[in-house]
Amino acid sequence: MIRPSAARSHVDTLAEYLKERLPHHRRDTLRRVAEVLFGILQAESTLHRKIALHIDREATPASITRMVARTFHETNL
C-alpha cells in the first residue's frame, strides 16, 4: 500500500498533468478525479465505499463516498 504522504504527492502530480491536458476543467475537479483514480487502483474495486477508504481527506467516510459517487456521475468528465 502507498504511504499517505506519497499518495498525496502522486495525486498532485496527476492533477497537474491533467490540468495541462484539460485546461478548461477546474483544478479542484481534476484533483478529485486524480484522488478517485488512485483510490480505484488501491482498492482494486469500483465500489464507492471501498474507494473512499483509500482517499485521504478530513471528512467522514459517508461524505467521501458521496464525493466518489459524484465523480463517477459527473457528465462533463
Side-chain angles (χ1 to χ4, degrees):
M1 183 168 201
I2 297 175
R3 293 185 327 268
S5 61
R8 253 189 309 264
S9 171
H10 294 308
V11 166
D12 292 337
T13 302
L14 179 58
E16 288 303 315
Y17 178 82
L18 291 173
K19 184 62 179 170
E20 290 173 9
R21 301 299 188 271
L22 304 166
H24 55 283
H25 285 287
R26 293 175 45 147
R27 193 171 306 276
D28 61 326
T29 301
L30 295 175
R31 187 171 198 306
R32 181 169 33 102
V33 169
E35 284 179 319
V36 170
L37 286 174
F38 277 106
I40 291 169
L41 293 173
Q42 290 175 343
E44 299 177 353
S45 173
T46 56
L47 290 174
H48 300 168
R49 60 184 163 76
K50 286 187 177 182
I51 295 167
L53 296 174
H54 297 278
I55 295 178
D56 186 33
R57 286 192 172 197
E58 291 185 17
T60 65
S63 295
I64 298 171
T65 302
R66 284 192 307 272
M67 181 271 298
V68 171
R70 284 192 305 270
T71 302
F72 276 111
H73 296 290
E74 181 77 36
T75 56
N76 293 330
L77 300 174

